[in-house]
Amino acid sequence: MSDDPPAHAPLRTYGRIKARPIKPRQAQLLDSLAPRIAIPSGPLNPRDLKPDAAEIWLEIGFGGGEHMAGQAARRPDLLILGVEPFLNGVASALRHVDEAALDNVRVRQGDAREVLADLAPASLDRIFILFPDPWPKTRHHKRRLVQTDAIDSFAVALKPGGRLRFVTDWSNYADWTLERMLKSPDFRWLARAAVDWRVPPADHLTTRYETKRLGDCAPIFLEFERV
Ligand SMILES: C[S@@+](CC[C@H](N)C(=O)[O-])C[C@H]1O[C@@H](n2cnc3c(N)ncnc32)[C@H](O)[C@@H]1O
C-alpha cells in the first residue's frame, strides 16, 4: 500500500448532517448481497464482470439507487456500475436490486474517482452524473465532482462515441460544467436547440433528488459525446 495522498481533493460530505439508522433488512443485504455485487478493487476491465453485456454504464453518485436500478431493470442486457459513498444510499440501492432481482448491477460504496482510476481505458459506453452535490458557494466550487482532471478521467474511461450525461438544477453548476466540457478536446456537446437541454431525454428516469427541487432552476440536461 502506498502512503501517497490521493491525486484528488478528499471527498467532502454535502448537506447530510446525520445518517439515518440502517434498517435490519438493509443490514442483512449489506452483509449478504453487497459482497456478491461489489465492484472489485484494483485494476478492472468491467467486461470481465458480464462478458455478454451489450453496453457498460457507470452512474456516479447514485443516491438511493432508484435511477440505477430502474435503468438496469429496463435494460437487462447491460451492465451498470454504480458508485456512492453514502452508506444509507448503498443500503437503499441494495433493496432495489434485491426487490427487482437484478443481476446486471455492481456497486461500490466509495469515491467514483477511485473507480475511474482503476477502470480499463475505453471500457464504458455511458457515464451518468445526475444532480451531483452542487456546492453553490464560490469558495466550495473546488469540491465539485466536475473538475478538469475528472473530465480527463471520464474521457479515458469512455469509448469513442460513448456518452456522458450531466444533470443539475443549479444554473451555476450547469455553466461550470459546460464551460469545462467545451474546453475539453475529448468531448462534443450534443445539444442543437434549447429543447435538448431543457427537456428530459427520452430514456431519463426521474431521480429522488430531482423530485425535491432544491436547486435554483429547472433541471438542465447536458449530453456529451466522447470524440
Ligand atoms: C445530490 S445527491 C444526488 C443523488 C442522486 N443522483 C439523485 O439524483 O437522487 C449527490 C450524490 O453524489 C454522491 N457523491 C458525492 N461525491 C461523490 C464521489 N466522489 N463519488 C461518487 N458519489 C459521490 C453523494 O454522496 C450524493 O449521494
Side-chain angles (χ1 to χ4, degrees):
M1 279 275 287
S2 159
D3 289 331
D4 292 344
H8 44 69
L11 193 59
R12 307 294 288 257
T13 302
Y14 177 84
R16 282 180 297 276
I17 309 298
K18 192 166 176 289
R20 282 171 278 119
I22 299 289
K23 296 179 188 139
R25 172 80 189 121
Q26 292 179 328
Q28 199 188 13
L29 290 172
L30 282 165
D31 279 348
S32 58
L33 180 59
R36 277 196 277 128
I37 66 164
I39 296 174
S41 48
L44 176 67
N45 184 344
R47 185 147 295 278
D48 294 342
L49 303 174
K50 184 170 164 62
D52 63 345
E55 292 188 6
I56 302 176
W57 296 3
L58 169 68
E59 184 167 337
I60 297 178
F62 57 69
E66 292 79 13
H67 176 274
M68 175 176 69
Q71 294 287 7
R74 261 185 182 177
R75 295 288 311 267
D77 56 325
L78 304 179
L79 172 67
I80 305 192
L81 311 175
V83 189
E84 168 58 57
F86 192 43
L87 181 64
N88 291 89
V90 172
S92 159
L94 292 176
R95 195 171 48 75
H96 294 302
V97 169
D98 184 52
E99 282 174 5
L102 301 172
D103 67 357
N104 58 339
V105 174
R106 298 290 183 279
V107 170
R108 162 82 60 86
Q109 184 196 350
D111 187 333
R113 296 170 300 182
E114 285 165 15
V115 173
L116 280 160
D118 281 343
L119 281 179
S123 57
L124 298 179
D125 294 276
R126 295 184 74 176
I127 295 176
F128 293 83
I129 305 172
L130 307 177
F131 302 92
D133 292 333
W135 297 111
K137 291 183 183 156
T138 306
R139 71 174 188 280
H140 290 155
H141 285 176
K142 60 182 177 292
R143 297 182 186 174
R144 287 176 166 172
L145 180 79
V146 176
Q147 306 288 344
T148 304
D149 56 347
I151 292 172
D152 292 343
S153 73
F154 305 151
V156 172
L158 280 168
K159 293 176 183 164
R163 301 270 187 102
L164 183 146
R165 177 174 297 165
F166 173 94
V167 190
T168 184
D169 55 6
W170 288 87
S171 54
N172 176 273
Y173 203 174
D175 291 346
W176 166 281
T177 298
L178 197 52
E179 190 187 326
R180 283 157 183 77
M181 291 294 287
L182 291 176
K183 272 190 198 147
S184 165
D186 299 321
F187 287 98
R188 184 168 75 86
W189 187 27
L190 293 174
R192 295 207 172 133
V195 69
D196 295 325
W197 50 266
R198 285 201 187 126
V199 174
D203 63 353
H204 176 66
L205 297 175
T206 305
T207 76
R208 194 200 289 184
Y209 183 88
E210 182 176 0
T211 60
K212 296 185 183 173
R213 296 254 137 162
L214 297 173
D216 63 0
C217 65
I220 295 170
F221 296 83
L222 302 178
E223 193 91 14
F224 302 93
E225 184 182 69
R226 172 73 168 98
V227 292

